[in-house]
Amino acid sequence: MLMATPLAAQDTVRAQGAMLRGLDKVSGRTTDLPLQIGQAVRYGRLEIRLGECRYPAGDPSSDAFAQLTITDLRQNATVFSGWMIASSPALSALDDARYDVWVMSCQG
């Protein structure tokens, strides 16, 4: 059985921010969402907060690991809380009927 290396076991560097991308499945429109650590952005009815973004030391363009909290403002409920991985977006994905959000890269 092949197991992924846990984030904590990899040699990573903490970035100052991340570039996320959102997809509105109804309109088909994508939107780039730049965020700094600790910042929140509104995307439709969602609020997306970036807690942390890490990337492999020595190869910043290879992958990105972002810790996100996504809240549905209409329901006042957290709909995603955890790490999203740029290279494996389906591994830990937002489950929403209208919106998709995924990590593109760490920034800064």
Side-chain angles (χ1 to χ4, degrees), residues 10-100:
Q10 295 184 24
D11 189 14
T12 60
V13 176
R14 185 178 297 187
Q16 298 299 310
M19 177 63 72
L20 309 178
R21 182 163 290 157
L23 169 66
D24 182 327
K25 297 176 197 176
V26 173
S27 71
R29 185 181 315 152
T30 59
T31 304
D32 286 350
L33 306 164
L35 279 165
Q36 296 297 307
I37 301 298
Q39 183 183 16
V41 65
R42 184 159 180 173
Y43 180 61
R45 63 177 155 71
L46 303 178
E47 180 187 76
I48 305 163
R49 182 171 301 277
L50 177 64
E52 198 170 333
C53 195
R54 292 180 172 267
Y55 58 88
D59 194 2
S61 63
S62 67
D63 209 354
F65 309 87
Q67 190 280 319
L68 302 172
T69 303
I70 303 175
T71 304
D72 185 321
L73 297 172
R74 287 191 190 152
Q75 299 176 7
N76 196 26
T78 300
V79 293
F80 180 89
S81 181
W83 290 90
M84 280 191 187
I85 304 168
S87 64
S88 304
L91 185 64
S92 180
L94 169 67
D95 182 21
D96 187 84
R98 179 162 185 175
Y99 299 106
D100 275 342

